[in-house]
Amino acid sequence: MAGNRQPTIKTVAARAGVGRTTVSRVVNGSDLVSADARARVLAAIKELNYVPNSVARGLVTSRTDSVALVIPESESRLGSEPYFAALIRGVSAALADTRTQLQLTLVRDQSERDQMIASVTTRRVDGVLLVSVHADDPLPGMLEEMGLPTVLAGRRDERENLSYVDSDNAGGAAAAVRHLLDRGRRRIATIAGPLDMDVGRARLAGWRDAHGEAGVPADEVLVQGGDFTEEGGRRAMRSLLERAPDLDAVFAASDLMAVGALAELRRQDRQVPGDVAVVGFEDSVLARHTHPPLTTVRQPVEELGRTMARILTDITRHGAERQQVTLPTRLVVRESS
Amino acid sequence: MAGNRQPTIKTVAARAGVGRTTVSRVVNGSDLVSADARARVLAAIKELNYVPNSVARGLVTSRTDSVALVIPESESRLGSEPYFAALIRGVSAALADTRTQLQLTLVRDQSERDQMIASVTTRRVDGVLLVSVHADDPLPGMLEEMGLPTVLAGRRDERENLSYVDSDNAGGAAAAVRHLLDRGRRRIATIAGPLDMDVGRARLAGWRDAHGEAGVPADEVLVQGGDFTEEGGRRAMRSLLERAPDLDAVFAASDLMAVGALAELRRQDRQVPGDVAVVGFEDSVLARHTHPPLTTVRQPVEELGRTMARILTDITRHGAERQQVTLPTRLVVRESS
DNA sequence: AAGCCCGGTGGGAACGTTCCCAAAACAGAT
DNA sequence: ATCTGTTTTGGGAACGTTCCCACCGGGCTT
């Protein structure tokens, strides 16, 4: 039993008394093969326990049936972990349907980034899924130029022309603010995300839009920049309270910043939601565990992953065109508003 | 620029005015090549932007420089998510050092399991890392028989003869119980894990060992089985309190069960740690957020991942033998004890 | 001056597939 | 019977590498 080499297509052909090509046809499900021959080949395959060598196949077809998912590890890992986990689940689920393998690449530093580029570039994958790419990162362009289809998680600006899947940041933000307006809040501050990122800009735009629709003037004094961290949220909240002590609500562009805001409000003895209502964005696990539980805008992260994978396979397998998809978000009302 | 095929080793050879072999030698860092030739080849590589095709290479070397990490998704995902995340981080970090790619396979159901076997078996990977394999699962054996080195996360029983990396379950449990004894507790109950799993058995053994060492009789009335879930922990705690109202401490074989125990203790108005001290096992994120924060045994999950990957590469790259490694655990004392 | 060794080199073969195309086998029609 | 057309078949070539081995040339030994 041991010692024998793996059977190849030739071994099978010999055993079944047919040519290589016929075996190949059977394996690949072609119907240009007689019932008789097919039966003999299948028997031989089973007897020999033959499994086609996908590397050899890949060499001639120049397809690997695997895609890379690249995740930068530098981004604050703690808050974002559940995000990545959900994303991976989604991607993996969609790929399983098309029998495509997932190559996961965590990129920690520049050297690992170079290594990732080398690996991806080396034709081991049919396409690439990229998470949190910065606006000025030349990588996606490079990849596409090398003939490697690429799909981004999150567009980089309003005019992104690569394939991407994003959640409806502006819409979600607007829904959050609309909800606050509905509850009678009129001085709604916002802790924005970094404005050099589309997420940051889009969520701020949503805040403006909702005010516009409702005919409530959007007071720019109520806008404070943040950096998506808890500490940043705390600082932003403090400076907002100084500038506009009369604010009665805050929309934070991320749950983590909302958590910081909650901490600062507690420190200054402002009741939530009594004095100030708070809404976050993302609906991470965090949101359920704050005091009080956080109203927030839910992103469909797992679906985002699924969609990314689906778009990529559409491109690699069926030669589809680039696609830009925006997924709806949903307001989850808890006790902070 | 566009339209041109990828350059191959032949293109480079022609451009540099040398033979294929010389290019190959330069690419693979052989030193049997003159400084002059090397320089010309390197220049040509840069000009043409040549990247060796790893599929072709794999065909002749029969190495893919990639390994599979197989994670069953069926296990209660919520509690275990941070575990998997840490594991993946560790594996990925160790693989990056050896320029090995990671193929991640989430297995949700039988059909995905079959697909995973097909893929792995098809020579796309050099080896396999398996997480949470059941004792009676024939998979690891099958894989090794096909010549695919396999490393398990967690041994399956005391006599496991495949490669595995496990944390010191018995030792960690004993440390936890010793700690409780040191604090003067004398009626230390335990909520055990499933006894058909080695983790469960080993942690229970630790509870016994610590009693033995200290000369305190281990009262079997104080042992209650659990299933690693929160609800199971709650039920176990209740039946323990009925049977042995005089208990003054509980060692739960998992954080999640400890959380359940805490809930039941609160319901019955027993103070923690005043009346009853509680210790868990794992040091998941949960542990920091319970009331009071949970004393627990920390498993070095990320290192577990790193070690698995290291062992596997030792085997695939250097023909090392199977290895069984047990990693030390560490007691993290918080306020529940 | 002849022989030998050794660093350096390159062409052929092989890895296990798929694809192309020509040919064999068979059937039906004249 | 011969021809034509359709189905079925299989061998050659190709995919882009690495490895084996044979060869070349120059310096060293004798």
Side-chain angles (χ1 to χ4, degrees):
Chain A
M1 172 129 278
N4 249 333
R5 303 183 56 79
Q6 291 276 325
T8 77
I9 204 172
K10 259 184 186 159
T11 334
V12 176
R15 174 70 150 253
V18 299
R20 282 186 342 272
T21 315
T22 303
V23 177
S24 175
R25 276 191 271 255
V26 170
V27 168
N28 294 293
S30 153
D31 50 357
L32 283 89
V33 83
S34 67
D36 176 55
R38 162 169 291 117
R40 291 213 310 281
V41 169
L42 286 175
I45 287 180
K46 179 162 276 177
E47 283 170 44
L48 296 169
N49 221 319
Y50 166 75
V51 183
N53 179 319
S54 63
V55 175
R57 175 180 297 172
L59 181 56
V60 36
T61 59
S62 62
R63 273 196 14 201
T64 61
D65 291 325
S66 85
V67 305
L69 170 59
V70 179
I71 297 181
E73 258 269 70
S74 49
E75 326 290 312
S76 75
R77 77 165 55 148
L78 251 149
S80 39
E81 220 160 59
Y83 176 85
F84 289 146
L87 195 76
I88 293 178
R89 261 204 311 277
V91 168
S92 152
L95 291 181
D97 293 342
T98 58
R99 317 190 134 264
T100 303
Q101 295 306 311
L102 172 59
Q103 181 187 301
L104 180 67
T105 313
L106 265 38
V107 178
R108 264 158 293 254
D109 53 31
Q110 186 58 41
S111 107
E112 289 194 6
R113 187 184 147 101
D114 293 345
Q115 211 176 303
M116 169 256 131
I117 296 179
S119 150
V120 138
T121 247
T122 218
R123 307 274 122 190
R124 331 174 73 110
V125 293
D126 297 337
V128 183
L129 302 172
L130 290 177
V131 180
S132 13
V133 234
H134 290 277
D136 54 349
D137 193 330
L139 182 60
M142 277 175 42
L143 295 180
E144 290 255 324
E145 208 165 286
M146 298 203 59
L148 269 179
T150 301
V151 177
L152 308 181
R155 64 183 189 184
R156 296 179 297 172
D157 62 49
E158 308 74 39
R159 314 184 84 61
E160 180 69 78
N161 65 347
L162 298 170
S163 293
Y164 70 78
V165 184
D166 206 349
S167 33
D168 183 5
N169 289 307
V177 173
R178 216 176 295 127
H179 157 78
L180 290 167
L181 288 165
D182 285 352
R183 302 246 159 146
R185 311 284 170 161
R186 280 304 172 267
R187 298 285 291 164
I188 304 172
T190 185
I191 304 179
L195 295 183
D196 58 345
M197 295 173 72
D198 183 72
V199 232
R201 283 195 303 273
R203 291 179 188 174
L204 178 55
W207 176 85
R208 289 219 176 81
D209 295 349
H211 279 87
E213 284 170 24
V216 176
D219 187 346
E220 294 296 324
V221 165
L222 294 173
V223 177
Q224 174 66 43
D227 55 2
F228 280 151
T229 70
E230 178 170 353
E231 175 54 22
R234 228 177 43 72
R235 276 199 310 268
M237 191 70 249
R238 185 162 44 195
S239 85
L240 280 170
L241 285 171
E242 271 170 27
R243 283 211 307 268
D246 63 327
L247 60 81
D248 57 8
V250 192
F251 163 61
S254 83
D255 282 357
L256 215 51
M257 294 199 297
V259 168
L262 284 174
E264 182 62 20
L265 287 166
R266 188 171 326 116
R267 211 182 58 84
Q268 300 201 20
D269 278 326
R270 304 267 193 147
Q271 294 302 314
V272 175
D275 302 331
V276 180
V278 177
V279 179
F281 203 115
E282 185 172 326
D283 194 25
S284 65
V285 266
L286 271 175
R288 261 183 304 271
H289 293 36
T290 55
H291 297 282
L294 188 66
T295 294
T296 188
V297 180
R298 155 170 264 154
Q299 290 185 285
V301 184
E302 197 165 331
E303 191 186 344
L304 198 137
R306 274 200 304 274
T307 311
M308 289 177 74
R310 219 208 46 233
I311 293 182
L312 189 56
T313 17
D314 278 358
I315 297 176
T316 56
R317 298 274 243 262
H318 316 301
E321 289 300 309
R322 287 180 185 167
Q323 290 178 53
Q324 283 92 23
V325 174
T326 302
L327 298 177
T329 52
R330 188 166 64 77
L331 186 70
V332 178
V333 179
R334 294 206 180 85
E335 285 140 52
S336 68
S337 67
Chain B
M1 173 127 282
N4 248 332
R5 303 183 55 77
Q6 291 276 325
T8 78
I9 204 172
K10 258 183 185 159
T11 334
V12 176
R15 175 67 150 258
V18 299
R20 286 188 338 276
T21 315
T22 302
V23 177
S24 175
R25 275 192 270 256
V26 170
V27 168
N28 293 292
S30 152
D31 50 358
L32 283 89
V33 101
S34 66
D36 176 55
R38 162 168 292 117
R40 291 212 311 280
V41 169
L42 287 174
I45 287 181
K46 180 161 275 175
E47 282 170 45
L48 296 169
N49 223 319
Y50 166 73
V51 183
N53 180 319
S54 64
V55 175
R57 176 180 297 172
L59 181 56
V60 36
T61 59
S62 63
R63 275 196 8 202
T64 60
D65 291 325
S66 84
V67 305
L69 170 59
V70 179
I71 298 181
E73 258 268 70
S74 48
E75 325 292 312
S76 75
R77 77 165 55 145
L78 253 150
S80 39
E81 220 160 58
Y83 176 85
F84 289 147
L87 195 76
I88 293 179
R89 260 203 314 276
V91 168
S92 151
L95 291 181
D97 293 342
T98 57
R99 318 190 134 267
T100 303
Q101 296 306 313
L102 173 60
Q103 182 186 304
L104 180 67
T105 313
L106 265 37
V107 177
R108 265 158 293 255
D109 53 31
Q110 186 59 41
S111 107
E112 289 193 6
R113 189 185 146 100
D114 293 345
Q115 211 176 304
M116 170 257 131
I117 296 178
S119 150
V120 139
T121 247
T122 217
R123 304 277 124 190
R124 327 174 77 111
V125 293
D126 297 337
V128 183
L129 302 172
L130 290 178
V131 181
S132 15
V133 233
H134 291 276
D136 54 348
D137 192 329
L139 182 59
M142 278 177 40
L143 295 179
E144 290 254 324
E145 208 165 286
M146 298 204 58
L148 270 179
T150 301
V151 178
L152 308 180
R155 63 182 190 186
R156 296 178 297 171
D157 63 48
E158 309 74 39
R159 315 183 84 61
E160 180 67 80
N161 66 346
L162 298 170
S163 294
Y164 70 79
V165 184
D166 205 349
S167 32
D168 182 5
N169 290 308
V177 174
R178 214 176 295 127
H179 158 78
L180 291 167
L181 288 166
D182 285 350
R183 302 243 160 147
R185 311 284 169 161
R186 279 303 172 269
R187 297 286 290 163
I188 304 171
T190 185
I191 304 179
L195 295 184
D196 59 345
M197 295 174 72
D198 183 73
V199 231
R201 283 196 303 272
R203 291 178 188 173
L204 178 56
W207 175 84
R208 289 219 176 81
D209 294 349
H211 279 87
E213 284 170 23
V216 177
D219 187 346
E220 293 297 324
V221 164
L222 294 173
V223 177
Q224 174 65 44
D227 56 0
F228 281 150
T229 69
E230 179 169 353
E231 176 54 22
R234 227 177 43 70
R235 276 199 310 268
M237 190 70 249
R238 186 163 44 195
S239 86
L240 280 169
L241 286 170
E242 272 170 27
R243 283 212 306 268
D246 63 327
L247 60 82
D248 57 9
V250 192
F251 162 62
S254 82
D255 283 357
L256 215 51
M257 294 199 298
V259 168
L262 284 174
E264 182 62 20
L265 287 166
R266 189 172 324 116
R267 211 182 59 84
Q268 300 203 18
D269 279 328
R270 304 267 192 146
Q271 294 301 314
V272 175
D275 302 332
V276 180
V278 177
V279 179
F281 204 116
E282 185 172 329
D283 194 25
S284 64
V285 266
L286 272 175
R288 262 185 303 270
H289 294 34
T290 54
H291 297 284
L294 188 66
T295 294
T296 188
V297 180
R298 154 169 263 154
Q299 289 185 287
V301 185
E302 196 164 333
E303 191 187 342
L304 198 138
R306 274 201 303 276
T307 311
M308 289 178 72
R310 218 207 48 231
I311 293 182
L312 188 55
T313 15
D314 278 357
I315 297 176
T316 56
R317 298 273 243 260
H318 316 301
E321 289 299 310
R322 288 181 184 166
Q323 290 178 53
Q324 283 91 25
V325 174
T326 302
L327 298 176
T329 52
R330 188 165 64 76
L331 186 71
V332 179
V333 180
R334 295 207 180 86
E335 286 140 53
S336 69
S337 68

